């Protein structure tokens, strides 16, 4: 565990605060070092409020906004995988390449999920169905 503790007991307020700081640090690092993450955040800036506005109820809003947040989460995980692989060397290795490609594919699949969610919820409405 990141804090070096193996207890099953809750962390308490200090532990929660530390975990939040580490998470915010991770977001800041991703913002500084990952162009793909920045691009996806730029896309979310208008789309998240639009999703809240276009969703007619809580479930639709969760689908529209949640699908976008999943892309950001997958991008963070993909970047983490790539960082670990680079830590062990930049020379080509089949397994390293496979891991990077699969991480990228996960982001792509979730981007397709955004299109499906937004399309299935909004296109029928725009077509008057």
């Amino acid at each position: 565990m990141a804090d070096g503790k193996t207890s099953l007991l809750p962390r308490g307020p200090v532990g929660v605060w530390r975990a939040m700081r580490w998470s915010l640090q991770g977001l800041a690092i991703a913002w500084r070092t990952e162009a793909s993450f920045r691009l996806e955040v730029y896309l979310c800036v208008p789309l998240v409020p639009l999703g809240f506005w276009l969703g007619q109820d809580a479930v639709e809003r969760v689908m529209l906004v949640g699908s976008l947040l999943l892309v950001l989460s997958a991008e963070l995980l993909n970047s983490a995988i790539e960082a670990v692989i680079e830590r062990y060397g930049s020379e080509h290795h089949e397994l390293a390449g496979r891991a990077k490609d699969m991480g990228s594919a996960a982001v792509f699949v979730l981007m397709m999920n955004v299109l499906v969610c937004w399309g299935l919820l909004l296109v029928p409405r725009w077509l008057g169905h």
Side-chain angles (χ1 to χ4, degrees), residues 4-129:
K5 296 180 182 180
T6 58
S7 173
L8 297 177
L9 297 175
R11 292 181 173 183
V14 173
V16 171
W17 175 254
R18 284 185 188 139
M20 186 183 75
R21 282 188 24 228
W22 293 325
S23 296
L24 294 174
Q25 180 178 328
L27 287 170
I29 291 168
W31 178 262
R32 282 194 315 270
T33 63
E34 299 295 330
S36 295
F37 181 74
R38 286 192 302 274
L39 175 62
E40 290 154 2
V41 169
Y42 290 140
L43 290 171
C44 283
V45 167
L47 290 177
V48 167
L50 190 62
F52 278 114
W53 183 62
L54 292 174
Q56 292 183 340
D57 59 24
V59 173
E60 286 191 4
R61 290 181 187 111
V62 166
M63 295 297 294
L64 295 172
V65 175
S67 64
L68 296 168
L69 296 178
L70 286 173
V71 172
L72 293 178
S73 298
E75 186 62 53
L76 290 166
L77 291 170
N78 183 42
S79 297
I81 290 167
E82 290 178 352
V84 169
I85 290 170
E86 292 301 317
R87 159 68 174 90
Y88 288 100
S90 59
E91 70 278 351
H92 177 74
H93 189 282
E94 180 185 349
L95 293 175
R98 192 183 311 170
K100 287 182 172 186
D101 290 347
M102 288 178 181
S104 178
V107 174
F108 176 77
V109 167
L110 287 172
M111 287 179 174
M112 295 303 99
N113 182 59
V114 169
L115 293 177
V116 168
C117 289
W118 284 66
L120 289 175
L121 288 171
L122 301 177
V123 169
R125 196 175 304 156
W126 293 334
L127 296 177
H129 292 101

